[in-house]
Amino acid sequence: MKNVSIIKALILTVITINMAHAQTIQKRYEQNPFTLVYDGAITKNEKGKVNIHPVKYKLNGIDIAANVYTPANYDASKKYPAVVIAHPNGGIKEQTAGLYAQRLAENGYITISADAAYQGASGGEPRHTDKPASRVEDIHGMADFITQYAGVDANRLGVLGICGGGGYTLKAAQSDKRFKAVATLSMFNSGEVRRNGFQNSQLATIQERLQKTTEARTQEAAGDKMIYAGVASITDEEIAKTSTDLYREGYEYYYRTYAHPNSTFLYTMSSLLDLMTWDAATNMDLINQPLLMMAGSKADTKYMTDEAFPKAVNAKTKELFVIEGATHIQTYYKPEYVSQAVTKLLSFFQANI
């Protein structure tokens, strides 16, 4: 009986520790003065080190919330190359976009990552609107702001898009030639997936879903309740039963280990009217800048990078860099995969901006 009691006590201790650990992780944003949730995030600005500067600016009348990172020993009278970073679908500037922004700043770049309009800490109504034209405009807007920032050499501007931000980056770079070098990580073609389903799993229901989207738009126009698509919350059991790496690991990332109250998988149903007729991989021939596309070898989203990359027939140079062993979400946070991506980005930007 004594041994049983000891075992029960040990089990209870382990459960208590795990629960405390989970609570710590879930409230990670509360432990950082900038609400950053990625590993190794800046906790305070110190002279001579990489610093973070929360900023706000207007874009088409909407307040945009962004973070600018400046390199160690930043001197506003000098000139630095800069990189714009577009966050993933459902993501915000405090997650993986911030991680890559900080890592690039540690290597001499002034970087900016902003919450998309209608999302995160940025303004815009209705909330969680997720339209491609707006997401692309967000990238142009970051370029507007950062090229006017003290110390930035406007002629040495690069762009990095992650996940959905990667798809929107491809589109933004087709017309915006301020971007001298274009990079994507784990590119996600939002239009293709909303239209065809993930891995083309919903081809048979395209018209049915368009009809539901049309009805949602009609309901909104009548002033009725807003209809949302996506996932508002999820249980551990539901996460475990999710069959695809992208969504299972994504739920874990966004709702557990790197959760932030401003991050959500919700978007207005009416956004699909725009999303389902849009495609990141159209007009790829308009990209004439150097292009780097990176994806994990085990990423179940890699097919989207593989589809888009060959279409960039006019890119000055182009490279498809495969991160061996990585899934889509693992490129957001796993040190060994982040380091590979950052090392590749540094050589790419150093050569081209």
Side-chain angles (χ1 to χ4, degrees), residues 39-187:
D39 297 330
I42 294 171
T43 56
K44 61 180 177 179
N45 283 331
E46 298 180 74
K47 187 175 180 180
K49 295 188 177 182
V50 171
N51 282 189
I52 183 173
H53 313 272
V55 298
K56 283 195 173 182
Y57 55 88
K58 291 280 188 182
L59 180 62
N60 301 320
I62 295 174
D63 287 321
I64 301 298
N67 287 330
V68 172
Y69 294 75
T70 50
N73 300 307
Y74 164 70
D75 181 346
S77 68
K78 295 181 179 179
K79 289 295 182 182
Y80 299 82
V83 179
V84 161
I85 300 172
H87 65 65
N89 291 340
I92 51 171
K93 63 188 181 300
E94 289 84 3
Q95 295 166 328
T96 188
L99 170 60
Y100 279 88
Q102 183 175 322
R103 291 292 298 272
L104 289 173
E106 289 167 358
N107 287 277
Y109 295 85
I110 294 177
T111 57
I112 181 172
S113 182
D115 287 339
Y118 308 98
Q119 301 174 26
S122 290
E125 296 288 342
R127 300 305 297 165
H128 313 309
T129 297
D130 191 35
K131 297 186 177 183
S134 177
R135 288 295 308 270
V136 172
E137 181 67 4
D138 291 328
I139 297 169
H140 296 315
M142 282 191 279
D144 294 339
F145 182 86
I146 204 64
T147 51
Q148 303 301 315
Y149 198 84
V152 168
D153 184 345
N155 294 314
R156 299 177 66 197
L157 180 65
V159 62
L160 166 64
I162 305 170
C163 180
Y168 297 125
T169 289
L170 292 177
K171 189 59 65 178
Q174 290 172 13
S175 60
D176 197 334
K177 301 308 174 182
R178 290 175 296 185
F179 298 121
K180 307 304 181 187
V182 182
T184 65
L185 173 65
S186 302
M187 193 277 286

Side-chain angles (χ1 to χ4, degrees), residues 220-289:
E220 289 175 24
D224 294 338
K225 183 180 178 182
M226 185 72 65
I227 300 174
Y228 291 95
V231 178
S233 63
I234 193 166
T235 66
D236 290 346
E237 185 180 16
E238 288 170 331
I239 291 174
K241 289 181 178 178
T242 302
S243 60
T244 60
D245 288 343
L246 172 68
Y247 290 104
R248 185 181 61 259
E249 293 179 358
Y251 293 143
E252 186 73 26
Y253 180 90
Y254 286 111
Y255 286 117
R256 299 293 187 270
T257 50
Y258 296 91
H260 192 290
N262 287 348
S263 172
T264 178
F265 268 119
L266 286 181
Y267 53 94
T268 60
M269 181 73 79
S270 59
S271 295
L272 287 168
L273 284 178
D274 298 87
L275 278 163
M276 288 180 69
T277 57
W278 185 84
D279 200 294
T282 58
N283 301 117
M284 284 288 290
D285 58 306
L286 293 178
I287 295 177
N288 64 346
Q289 306 97 313

